């Protein structure tokens, strides 16, 4: 510990090997750096893309068990590998944030080398599984991984408020992977799914950034609320929320039920956002409501996409 009483980045890295020797490494340690919650949520949108591609190409999923298995497992491993590599890169700042200070890469449960090799190996295996499906699927998966690890985590996350936009490209990839597993030609519907996820992520993550603003400030991460303040961030959240409504309606051919749900969900999010300006004196409370609604929005919208094609 230095004289100021804070832990420097170099000290965190230097003590990892000593710390891990006194702690038992279990499979739970590796699951923690895989961020299984993120993996599961991404698999939902990935499966939606796969299911819809099968529907529109008239491909019976019952005849594609190996394709489904390889695509789902490969996607899960690539996403988990990317999350682990994110933990490796961010291990020097994660101890400064409450939500990340208990990661095994910070506490010493896993050494830097263990985190790095796990991330590389599982990402590589996942990419090979996607390649066994087809090369388009593998290229999309690998592209998402590179964007997330290199362009987001290693570069823009620490240098610009545009990091949210860059990260959104990677986060919008799963439905493309799913669609390409069945139809490498990527129908325009696949790109609509990508665009919905891309636009959705900005209001979702900016709301999270508002909630964790002081933690990001302490870690030196230039999230928009840290650099520009809450007022600008709230306007950006509302702009993207407005944009999401017409984007979601590019899939109006999915039918009346989907279109109605998309309009209601989008309008509900927008009303909640505008109401917050007058109703909530606490910006953090407003951001929390917006963040939670964003999760409901995504799960319901993608669930409805699948359900309307089942009957």
């Amino acid at each position: 510990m230095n004289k100021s009483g804070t832990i420097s980045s170099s000290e965190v890295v230097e003590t990892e090997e000593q710390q891990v020797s006194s702690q038992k490494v279990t499979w739970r340690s590796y699951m923690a750096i895989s961020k299984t919650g993120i993996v599961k949520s991404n698999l939902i949108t990935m499966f939606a893309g796969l299911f819809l591609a099968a529907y529109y190409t008239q491909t019976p999923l019952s005849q594609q068990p190996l394709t489904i298995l390889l695509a789902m497992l490969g996607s899960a491993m690539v996403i988990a590998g990317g999350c682990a590599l994110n933990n490796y890169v961010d291990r020097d700042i994660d101890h400064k944030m409450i939500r990340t200070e208990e990661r095994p890469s910070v506490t010493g449960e896993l050494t830097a080398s263990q985190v790095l090799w796990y991330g590389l190996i599982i990402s590589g295996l996942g990419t090979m599984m996607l390649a066994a499906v087809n090369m388009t699927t593998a290229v999309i998966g690998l592209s998402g991984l590179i964007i997330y690890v290199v362009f987001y985590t290693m570069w823009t996350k620490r240098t610009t408020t545009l990091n949210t936009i860059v990260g959104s490209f990677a986060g919008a990839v799963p439905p493309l992977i799913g669609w390409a597993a069945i139809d490498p030609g990527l129908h325009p519907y696949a790109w609509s799914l990508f665009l919905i996820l891309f636009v959705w992520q900005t209001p979702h993550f900016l709301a999270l950034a508002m909630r964790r603003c002081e933690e990001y400030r302490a870690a030196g991460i230039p999230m928009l609320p840290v650099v520009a303040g809450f007022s600008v961030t709230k306007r950006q959240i509302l702009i993207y929320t407005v944009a999401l409504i017409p984007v979601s309606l590019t899939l109006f051919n999915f039918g009346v039920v989907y279109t109605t749900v998309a309009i209601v969900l989008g309008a509900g999010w927008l009303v909640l956002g505008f109401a917050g300006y007058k109703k909530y004196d606490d910006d953090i409370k407003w951001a929390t409501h917006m963040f939670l609604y964003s999760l409901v929005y995504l799960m319901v919208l993608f669930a409805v996409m699948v359900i309307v094609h089942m009957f």
Side-chain angles (χ1 to χ4, degrees), residues 131-158:
V133 176
N134 61 62
M135 288 308 299
T136 301
T137 304
V139 169
I140 294 172
L142 185 59
S143 297
L145 177 68
I146 292 173
I147 291 171
Y148 180 66
V149 175
V150 179
F151 291 96
Y152 170 69
T153 304
M154 297 178 67
W155 180 18
T156 58
K157 182 176 182 178
R158 305 192 190 202

Side-chain angles (χ1 to χ4, degrees), residues 81-110:
C83 289
L85 293 173
N86 171 272
N87 278 200
Y88 171 77
V89 175
D90 284 349
R91 70 194 189 284
D92 63 325
I93 58 174
D94 278 346
H95 67 279
K96 299 178 180 179
M97 301 182 67
I98 295 174
R99 74 183 185 89
T100 58
E101 64 184 4
E102 295 300 322
R103 287 177 175 174
S105 50
V106 176
T107 63
E109 291 176 48
L110 297 172

Side-chain angles (χ1 to χ4, degrees), residues 109-145:
E109 291 176 48
L110 297 172
T111 66
S113 60
Q114 286 174 319
V115 176
L116 175 61
W117 281 110
Y118 171 76
L120 291 174
I121 291 172
I122 199 170
S123 297
L125 290 174
T127 302
M128 286 190 286
M129 289 182 181
L130 294 180
V133 176
N134 61 62
M135 288 308 299
T136 301
T137 304
V139 169
I140 294 172
L142 185 59
S143 297
L145 177 68

